[in-house]
Amino acid sequence: MKKDLTPKERMAIERVKMPEQDPGRRIGNFEEVNRGLTEELAMREAQRCLLCKSRPCVAGCPVRVRIPEFIAALAVGDLPEAARILLADNTLPAVCGRVCPQETQCEQICVRGAKGDPVAIGYLERFVADWALAHPDKLHGEERPSPTGHKVSIVGSGPAGLTMAGELARKGHAVTLFEALHDTGGVLRYGIPEFRLPKRIVDIEVERLKDLGVEIECNVVVGKTVALDELREEFDAVFIGNGAGLPVMLNIDGENLKGVYSANEYLTRVNLMAAWRDDMPTPIIRGKRVAVIGGGNTAMDAVRTSRRLGAERSIILYRRTEKEMPARIEESHHAKEEGIEFILLAAPLEILGDENGWVKGLLCQRMELGEPDASGRRRPVPIEDDTFVLEVDVVVNAIGTRANPLLTATAPELKLNKWGNIETDENGATNLPGVFAGGDIVRGGATVILAMGDGKSGSKRIGDYLGGEKATYPTRPA
Amino acid sequence: MFEVLQNVTLAPNVHRMVIRAPRIAKARQPGQFVIIHPEAGGERIPLTIGDADPQAGTITLFIQAVGTSTLKIANTPVGGSLRDIAGPLGKATEIDIWGRIACVGGGLGTAVLYPLAKALADAGNEVTTIIGGRSKPFIILADELSAFSDTVLIATEDGSLGRKGFVTHALQELIDDPDKRPAAVFAIGPVPMMRAVAELTRPYGIKTIVSLNPIMIDGTGMCGGCRVKVGDETKFACVDGPEFDGHLVDFGLLIDRLSMYRETEAKILSELPEELREKITKVKR
């Protein structure tokens, strides 16, 4: 293969299409939709990168992956080198390559996007990460750093906690990770479905952390099993990354009917507890007509899950238009291919029940867009006397999550904002010496990659703290 | 893994198990519960912590085998282990000094009641305990409860032990006797029993605390599956409870929501080997 392509030759290559499982087939299974690129497709796509000097993509990445470098190595077929670069910058590349909203990050500002399609950075990241998972023997060995003698505990094994654990372990700190559920991964395990992120990927990424010496203890609910103060006594620093695990309720009539789920419950039953498998005891109501309320990635995950559980009609009900939907474009695109109906500019008014307490319908209000609100999106306004009823037997509420107060309620000295999220400085330091936080417990419901970004930037701050700054703090809060 | 150190059968399909769980033993307060996930791929089962020994690092659980998962837990032999136990979860019982109180337990609820009654007695309350069950073999912990109760009254439906009838009959007599009327009632047992107790005490304005057992998954407030209506508010039993004011609980909704997976449960039960199925249905009504 010719190694030195001219810019013109690079410009002439068309953006690769991700091989996908056929929509008609995939609604009958939970296997991954995106099949991944072949080596040939990946190398060709890598050659589309102009290796420009300005490198805007790197600044667009919350964990600052050296994107042009790994792509350049891939373009010439040096996979061990591409993997070395990627793994050094990103603790969970096989996860990010699947669930990151690249279209609003690295790919949005790719120079090639100005005239045509940007480089498919996400697909390439996934390809290199999957290659690395499949060829551990061909990877450049990681040197185990000498131990620093510092002990750090991490609360929550979701994307923020896992990233933090990897970064700190690579610096030689002794890391203990506490997880409340019986398995690791947080939202990667209980929230994101198998068809978008196979759980074996999470398993392998977690194993890699264990190989780095990270201790993981499940079934520890910090705030209940152990108090934050106990961790502060036992460890030199604590990082809180316990997520935004509290569903926002609809607060409409009929919410307690049988057949109404929060997205957290619905997805946890299916993902963590494997209710989709016939050989598992976990029950779930498999509706024939399912309405999912919300327009984010969680709503898409829930509605596409309902289809795979056998729903004949699966509906997204969203109060604004598709333009304002927070879901990744790929998710809503995949949902439509799978026959999901989108009912836009409509909001739930009441869940209707039958005489036995089961859901039988959803009374909805038509909306129109008014003036922009604080988020800059146009505010949905009800259209008077314009309501309709959807006949459904399962309703899933995916309007959002808030900070779970389980830990913070038992640590009254920890400073929170008015929504109950932990307040930190830009590097993740809380008001308590030696206590850091990141991910959704700080941001509210955000994304996997932003949580990972917090884990990465926070690890530098913790490193500084352990490296000397700690000495200037009292060992216990005044 | 959590090692089983003792496993004693107290009544048909009711076991008392002592399990090594040092972190939970240290943190636990009366009224709190754990969630057990006995093996990979199993259900998550909430169970009240009966007792704990922080020095020995052990907790005591009472469990009734009513389905495949509880059967699996109850039949774990000494030396065997359970994959996951998370806790202690939920709010601890508010231990106040009421003076004279009545603690009412029905079936396995008596085991849930035990730590709470003990804590209330230790705090200086004068405790009358009323325990009920279908027949003699289903009356559990009578001796243990006598150790700190001023009186233990027993009611069985067939009269094979104690008086014939329901716990509510015994409670009504206490209320009717001005020298014995309780200032507060703690009732734990099957939902219909708790509802009957709450309805009995309501006209007298006697504070009545009940402990609820809705369907639950994570036990940390994450899923909202355990929501119950208390007064005008929706509460999550796992983090706001499990104990609530019995006069405010919507028991009808609780019973209804508990029936959500009846079909699935029946299907799973029907697929069990016959000897296991018999074992379970024998104690189920």
Side-chain angles (χ1 to χ4, degrees), chain A residues 219 225 255 258 261-262 264, chain B residues 84 87 220 222-223 227 256 261:
Chain A
N219 304 306
T225 315
E255 189 158 27
K258 289 174 287 185
Y261 287 105
S262 72
N264 269 0
Chain B
D84 301 286
T220 62
M222 189 186 89
C223 84
R227 56 196 185 270
D256 200 34
Y261 299 110

Side-chain angles (χ1 to χ4, degrees), chain A residues 182 217 219 224-226 230 245-247 249 255-256 258-262 264-265 268-269 280-281 283 358 404, chain B residues 23 26-27 37 41-42 44 83-85 87-88 90 215 217 220-223 225 227 256-257 259-261 268:
Chain A
H182 62 254
E217 196 177 336
N219 304 306
K224 289 286 182 187
T225 315
V226 292
E230 289 175 70
L246 186 76
M249 301 309 277
E255 189 158 27
N256 293 329
K258 289 174 287 185
V260 182
Y261 287 105
S262 72
N264 269 0
E265 179 179 3
T268 299
R269 282 182 179 276
M280 288 291 166
W358 289 93
N404 188 323
Chain B
R23 288 190 190 277
K26 194 174 155 210
H37 178 244
R44 290 171 62 93
R83 187 184 188 273
D84 301 286
I85 305 183
I215 295 169
I217 299 186
T220 62
M222 189 186 89
C223 84
R227 56 196 185 270
D256 200 34
R257 286 184 64 80
S259 74
M260 190 150 158
Y261 299 110
I268 290 174

